[in-house]
């Protein structure tokens, strides 16, 4: 009987069927898209970890070969593989995989106790294990709970959104439900009937929406691959879909739809039969009758019409909750993201790209190579398009600086400790100051001496004689003071622990470093050496303990105004020359790196912007459902207003007031919050506000805001047309208005 009733009811309410079907389609689409993106992000990260770090799940450092044989006796240990690259004469490093990944940490505890290993002899592949869902009991991962929380939040948002859609369709059959209740149907039977109708109407749209969601996921991955094309060392994302993921997305959509249908069905089935037969809902409490701030402002500005519009918004507060929240979060997120990336781009350009645009065009890094072993400086200089070539190496030492050797300006401010604070290390009678060593090839060092106004020589070093005055300037606009007294002819080099190494003669002092892509700490004594002086020092004095592996850097400058294509050609020639000579190297060029950085930022903006658009779409869908769904209720209300003497034009203005408040409220709140946020970021980064205003993302923010205004206006225009196109005077004869 109930099946026959449902079929007949649905056949006579095509609008309700369409509303439920579209709601189910939208819910399954969003959930499938989100599940697909999460799953493909997981597979991409899994492939990256396996490719770059290996498939091992634990590493053990053993001191006895017999211990490796003991490992094979553990039932959960699947494979034991020696790592020849990490093993040495005194230790054997083995990599383990396990049959049951969930038992990795428990099994490792048994292995530790059985073999008597220390904690530092056991290394777990936490990144890989966390991707498998296995976490260290002492340090649980938060990624999977976060993803589950995001999915649950989306389900909750969709439930609140779809609840209105199902309530609209169910209210359309309120009269028939009242008739059934009057002849003996129980609330439970009515709820089951409504849920049965929702399930029957939603099954096909759920399947179609799930397919469309995964198709959209594939399109998103293709767009990401296109945006990120050309990035170094990036593997393209490949769309994959596991049957379990598809089933989970479909099940989540079905649960969402049924829960969305159950909430209004539960409420409607509690309405007394007589009220239901009249087709009206019982009045709801309005929160002690207090007028909202919006109602008071509208009443002050537009009089009685503003009062009516504000009261209507206050009555729809719960049903428009998703719209208000979604529109606010989407516009605020979109604006905040663009402002953040704009500020970040300005800062990056000032501190890196613009700052070093004349310092390098092509840069080569040769690991495990010393400057004394490099012999291709002449060949690199002779390459077509090379204006300047400088080869150098970096090391680290310290300087024992007596207190009286500090410059008068530095001592006047309280000495190094007053500026550097905890970064300065005091010794008896002075300071132990870090001293980065930059060792240039001889020809480059002599050119640097000439540029600094120092008599060229290979018998001494040059000191970068400056220290940041942090008391009177910020890191964005640094002011410098002389570090040491003028005429300082030598410095005492030392180890990091203060052990003296010897005296280093100085050719002179300068406040301008050579034109290199290097950052120097503001409280260190940077020393520039020649290769000849370094080789002589290494023969005659104790060497500082190397703080870094030997590494040669090659800086090449091309012509002024060099193009990206020319940079890439020069990069290829440098790579071919170095690799042809047997050097392992990494070569990069400035313009391609800039383009890659811009492409990554654009990709991040596109992805986050698309998410904001998705959130906005949820809010706008809620607006359309309310304006187009509760038409009958609005007609009854507007019939009352018409009976009180209001004109159709005045009735239409109520819609525009409601739409304006709904659209403008998130925009105003966002602009106020954005101004405060940008002000704090500008103050923290010490950027000139004029620089941000010149680059501010006004156009995309304005387009996003106009999009919100347009669709909200469209929704209310359609709602006004549907309400006011009916014969409202006929409703005045209906007793249910009373």
């Amino acid at each position: 009987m109930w099946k026959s009733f449902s079929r007949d009811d649905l056949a006579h309410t095509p609008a309700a069927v369409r509303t439920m079907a579209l709601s189910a389609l939208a819910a399954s689409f969003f959930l499938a898209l989100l599940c697909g993106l999460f799953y493909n992000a997981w597979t991409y990260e899994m492939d990256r970890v396996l490719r770059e770090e290996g498939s091992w799940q634990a590493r053990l450092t053993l001191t006895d070969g017999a211990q490796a044989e003991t490992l094979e006796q553990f039932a959960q240990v699947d494979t034991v593989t020696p790592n020849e690259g990490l093993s040495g004469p005194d230790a054997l490093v083995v990599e383990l995989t396990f049959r049951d990944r969930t038992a990795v940490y428990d099994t490792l505890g048994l292995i530790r106790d059985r073999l008597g290993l220390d904690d530092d002899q056991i290394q777990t592949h936490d990144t890989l294990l966390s991707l498998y869902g296995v976490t260290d009991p002492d340090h649980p991962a938060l990624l999977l709970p976060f993803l589950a929380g995001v999915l649950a939040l989306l389900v909750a948002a969709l439930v609140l959104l779809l609840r209105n859609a199902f309530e609209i369709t169910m209210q359309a059959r309120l009269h028939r439900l009242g008739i059934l209740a009057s002849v003996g149907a129980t609330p439970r039977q009515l709820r089951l009937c409504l849920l049965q109708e929702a399930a029957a109407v939603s099954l096909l749209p759920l399947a179609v929406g799930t397919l469309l969601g995964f198709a959209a996921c594939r399109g998103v991955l293709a767009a990401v691959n296109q945006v990120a094309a050309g990035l170094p060392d990036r593997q393209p994302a490949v769309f994959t879909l596991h049957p379990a993921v598809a089933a989970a997305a479909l099940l989540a959509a079905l649960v969402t739809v049924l829960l969305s249908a159950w909430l209004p069905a539960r409420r409607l089935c509690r309405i007394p039969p007589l009220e239901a037969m009249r087709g009206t809902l019982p009045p709801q409490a309005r929160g002690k009758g207090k007028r909202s701030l919006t109602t008071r402002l509208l009443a002050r500005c537009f009089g009685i019409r503003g009062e009516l519009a504000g009261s209507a918004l206050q009555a729809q507060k719960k049903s428009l909750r998703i719209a208000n929240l979604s529109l606010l979060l989407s516009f605020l997120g979109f604006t905040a993201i663009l402002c953040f990336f704009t500020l970040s781009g300005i800062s990056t350009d000032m501190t890196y790209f613009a700052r070093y645009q004349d310092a390098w065009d092509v840069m080569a890094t040769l690991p495990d190579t010393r400057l004394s072993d490099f012999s291709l400086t002449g060949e690199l200089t002779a390459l077509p398009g090379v204006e300047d070539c400088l080869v150098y190496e970096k090391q680290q030492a310290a300087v024992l600086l007596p207190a009286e050797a500090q410059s008068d300006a530095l001592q006047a401010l309280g000495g190094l400790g007053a500026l550097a604070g905890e970064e300065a290390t005091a010794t008896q009678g002075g300071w132990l100051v870090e001293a980065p060593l930059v060792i240039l090839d001889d020809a480059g060092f002599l050119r640097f001496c000439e540029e600094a106004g120092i008599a060229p020589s290979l018998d001494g070093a040059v000191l970068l004689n400056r220290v940041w005055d942090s008391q009177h300037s910020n890191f964005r606009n640094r002011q410098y003071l002389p570090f040491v007294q003028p005429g300082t002819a030598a410095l005492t080099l030392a180890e990091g622990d203060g052990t003296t190494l010897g005296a280093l003669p100085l050719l002179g002092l300068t406040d301008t470093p050579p034109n290199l892509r290097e950052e120097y700490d503001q409280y260190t004594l940077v020393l520039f050496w020649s290769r000849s002086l370094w080789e002589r020092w290494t023969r005659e004095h104790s060497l500082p303990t190397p703080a870094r592996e030997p590494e040669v850097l090659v800086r090449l400058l091309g012509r002024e105004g060099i193009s990206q294509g020319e940079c890439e050609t020069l990069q290829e020639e440098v790579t071919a020359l170095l690799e042809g000579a047997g050097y392992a190297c990494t070569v990069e060029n400035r313009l391609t790196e800039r383009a890659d950085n811009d492409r990554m930022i654009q990709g991040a903006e596109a992805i986050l912007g698309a998410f904001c658009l998705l959130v906005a779409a949820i809010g706008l869908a809620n607006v359309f459902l309310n304006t187009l769904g509760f038409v009958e209720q609005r007609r009854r209300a507007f019939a009352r207003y018409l009976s009180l003497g209001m004109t159709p034009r005045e009735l239409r203005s109520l819609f525009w007031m409601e739409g304006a408040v709904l659209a403008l409220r998130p925009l105003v709140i966002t602009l106020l919050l954005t101004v405060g946020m940008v002000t704090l970021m500008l103050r923290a980064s010490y950027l000139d506000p004029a620089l941000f205003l010149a680059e501010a993302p006004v156009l995309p923010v304005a387009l996003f805001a106009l999009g919100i205004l347009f669709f909200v206006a469209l929704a209310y225009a359609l709602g006004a047309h549907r309400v006011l196109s009916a014969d409202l005077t006929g409703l005045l004869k209906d007793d249910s208005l009373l």
Side-chain angles (χ1 to χ4, degrees):
M1 186 270 288
W2 290 111
K3 292 181 180 180
S4 177
F5 170 78
S6 295
R7 282 195 297 267
D8 181 67
D9 205 14
L10 293 176
H12 289 82
T13 54
V17 173
R18 288 195 299 269
T19 301
M20 288 191 290
L22 290 176
S23 301
L25 181 70
S28 58
F29 173 82
F30 287 130
L31 289 171
L33 175 61
L34 188 65
C35 291
L37 291 176
F38 281 173
Y39 178 72
N40 280 274
W42 176 81
T43 57
Y44 183 85
E45 182 65 12
M46 177 70 73
D47 291 340
R48 185 195 66 80
V49 171
L50 293 175
R51 183 176 62 254
E52 296 179 1
E53 302 179 20
S55 60
W56 59 275
Q57 298 167 11
R59 276 180 180 160
L60 304 181
T61 303
L62 308 177
T63 56
D64 185 0
Q67 293 177 319
E69 299 178 359
T70 306
L71 291 174
E72 299 177 354
Q73 300 176 6
F74 287 86
Q76 292 297 337
V77 175
D78 188 19
T79 62
V80 180
T81 307
N83 189 317
E84 302 294 342
L86 298 178
S87 300
D90 300 327
L92 173 64
V93 177
V94 296
E95 297 177 344
L96 307 181
T97 61
F98 298 82
R99 293 185 175 88
D100 183 6
R101 299 189 189 102
T102 61
V104 169
Y105 292 100
D106 294 336
T107 305
L108 287 176
L110 297 175
I111 292 174
R112 181 181 58 244
D113 297 338
R114 176 77 174 274
L115 302 183
L117 302 178
D118 297 330
D119 290 339
D120 57 0
Q121 293 180 270
I122 301 176
Q123 178 187 359
T124 55
H125 201 169
D126 293 329
T127 304
L128 179 62
L129 292 174
S130 64
L131 290 173
Y132 285 128
V134 181
T135 59
D136 186 349
D138 298 327
H139 304 88
L142 300 178
L143 178 60
L144 292 179
F146 170 75
L147 296 181
V150 171
L151 185 61
L153 184 63
L154 179 62
V155 169
L158 289 174
V159 166
L160 294 177
L161 175 63
L162 300 182
R163 175 185 180 276
N164 294 331
F166 283 104
E167 186 171 11
I168 293 169
T169 60
M170 292 177 183
Q171 284 186 21
R173 301 192 300 278
L174 190 59
H175 177 72
R176 301 188 69 180
L177 294 177
I179 294 176
L180 291 175
S182 66
V183 296
T186 65
R188 180 175 180 273
Q189 290 174 324
L190 295 177
R191 284 196 301 270
L192 290 177
C193 177
L194 293 175
L195 289 178
Q196 171 185 280
E197 294 176 7
V201 171
S202 302
L203 286 179
L204 181 59
L206 286 177
V208 174
T210 301
L211 293 176
L212 292 177
F214 287 123
C217 175
R218 185 167 189 167
V220 170
L221 293 182
V224 170
N225 286 334
Q226 185 175 2
V227 171
L231 293 181
D233 301 327
R234 183 192 180 275
Q235 295 293 326
V238 179
F239 175 76
T240 56
L241 181 61
H242 194 279
V245 177
L250 190 59
L251 179 62
L254 180 60
V255 171
T256 301
V257 168
L258 292 179
L259 185 59
S260 302
W262 180 80
L263 290 175
R266 178 174 175 268
R267 174 171 174 260
L268 294 178
C269 293
R270 291 181 174 181
I271 299 175
L274 291 179
E275 293 288 341
M277 291 175 65
R278 295 176 63 189
T280 60
L281 294 175
Q284 299 182 28
R286 298 301 181 202
K288 299 182 181 180
K290 292 183 179 180
R291 297 191 306 167
S292 65
L293 177 62
T294 301
T295 303
R296 293 197 297 270
L297 290 176
L298 289 175
R300 184 178 294 273
C301 296
F302 301 102
I304 186 61
R305 289 183 297 158
E307 180 81 25
L308 294 175
S311 298
L313 286 173
Q314 191 171 355
Q316 301 174 70
K317 182 178 180 181
K318 288 186 177 181
S319 60
L320 288 174
R321 184 178 300 162
I322 291 297
N324 287 316
L325 184 61
S326 298
L327 294 179
L328 175 60
L329 291 180
S330 63
F331 190 58
L332 178 60
F334 186 81
T335 306
I337 288 167
L338 290 184
C339 290
F340 171 79
F341 279 115
T342 300
L343 287 169
S344 177
I346 294 173
S347 179
T348 302
D349 189 66
M350 292 178 62
T351 58
Y352 186 75
F353 291 113
R355 179 176 179 180
Y356 294 116
Q357 66 179 357
D358 298 324
W360 71 290
D361 289 319
V362 174
M363 197 83 182
T365 304
L366 286 67
D368 301 324
T369 305
R370 295 191 179 278
L371 189 59
S372 57
D373 300 329
F374 187 76
S375 59
L376 294 179
T377 306
E379 289 82 349
L380 290 169
T381 306
L383 288 175
V386 175
E387 298 289 337
D388 184 50
C389 174
L390 189 59
V391 183
Y392 62 100
E393 181 183 353
K394 296 187 293 184
Q395 287 297 338
Q396 185 71 33
V399 168
L400 290 172
L401 184 68
E404 63 275 8
Q406 300 176 99
S407 67
D408 294 338
L410 181 56
Q411 294 185 45
L413 293 178
L416 180 61
L419 297 183
E422 297 180 355
E423 297 184 37
T425 303
T427 61
Q428 186 174 3
W431 300 92
L432 181 66
V433 185
E434 292 183 3
L437 311 178
V438 181
I439 307 156
L440 308 175
D441 64 275
D442 289 349
F445 180 77
L446 294 175
R447 290 198 307 271
F448 168 58
C449 290
E450 293 178 357
E451 294 169 357
I454 299 171
S457 173
L458 301 177
D459 296 329
V462 176
L463 173 67
L464 182 60
N465 186 31
R466 69 184 191 186
V467 63
W468 174 32
D469 182 5
S470 58
Q471 294 184 0
H472 301 95
S473 63
N474 56 64
F475 72 90
R476 185 69 64 186
N477 303 293
R478 300 181 191 269
Q479 297 178 10
Y480 294 98
L481 301 173
F483 206 139
V484 300
Q485 292 285 358
T488 301
L491 291 175
T492 302
L493 290 188
E495 290 276 12
D497 58 0
T499 304
T500 302
L501 297 175
L504 174 69
L506 297 178
L507 296 176
L509 313 177
T510 183
D511 59 359
T512 305
N515 193 19
L516 301 175
R517 191 192 67 177
E518 295 292 340
E519 288 280 353
Y520 307 110
D521 189 86
Q522 305 303 319
Y523 305 110
T524 60
L525 287 165
V526 184
L527 293 164
F528 300 99
W529 300 46
S530 66
R531 186 179 73 174
S532 298
L533 178 62
W534 176 255
E535 292 175 352
R536 188 164 61 251
W537 177 275
T538 58
R539 291 194 303 267
E540 299 174 359
H541 299 80
S542 299
L543 285 174
T545 302
R548 54 187 298 155
E549 296 295 328
E551 183 180 76
V552 167
L553 298 106
V554 180
R555 186 270 287 153
L556 297 174
L557 278 174
R559 66 171 181 83
E560 185 177 354
I562 188 172
S563 66
Q564 182 175 342
E566 292 172 331
C567 273
E568 292 174 349
T569 300
L570 182 57
Q571 177 183 358
E572 294 172 359
E573 293 174 347
V574 171
T575 303
L577 180 60
L578 294 175
E579 292 181 348
Y583 293 105
C585 62
T586 301
V587 186
E588 55 186 333
N589 76 78
R590 174 176 57 86
L591 295 180
T592 300
E593 184 175 330
R594 175 66 178 267
D596 291 342
N597 179 77
D598 293 342
R599 193 180 295 112
M600 286 189 293
I601 291 177
Q602 291 170 1
E605 288 178 339
I607 294 172
L608 295 175
F611 179 77
C612 292
L613 288 174
L614 181 64
V615 175
I618 294 176
L620 292 172
N622 185 228
V623 176
F624 276 93
L625 284 174
N626 276 274
T627 55
L628 300 179
F630 295 102
V631 172
E632 191 64 28
Q633 289 84 340
R634 299 305 302 270
R635 283 177 178 170
R636 294 176 183 275
F638 275 57
R640 296 189 185 100
Y641 302 155
L642 191 64
S643 68
L644 297 175
M646 294 185 68
T647 65
R649 183 177 180 181
E650 290 175 326
L651 295 178
R652 193 177 298 276
S653 68
L654 298 182
F655 279 99
W656 294 120
M657 290 182 196
E658 295 177 26
V661 170
L662 186 63
L664 292 177
R665 182 161 47 195
L667 305 187
V668 173
I669 294 175
T670 293
L671 292 179
L672 293 176
L673 293 177
T674 301
V675 169
M677 176 191 67
V678 171
T679 301
L680 292 176
M681 288 193 293
L682 288 173
R683 184 173 300 175
S685 59
Y686 295 100
L687 283 174
D688 185 357
L691 293 175
F692 173 76
L693 293 177
E695 301 290 338
V698 177
L699 181 59
V701 170
L703 291 176
F704 196 97
L706 288 176
I708 291 177
L709 291 172
F710 172 78
F711 284 107
V712 171
L714 178 62
Y716 274 89
L718 294 175
H721 176 74
R722 292 186 62 178
V723 171
L724 300 178
S725 62
D727 181 16
L728 297 181
T729 57
L731 293 175
L732 295 175
K733 303 175 183 179
D734 191 343
D735 292 340
S736 64
L737 283 172
L738 303 177

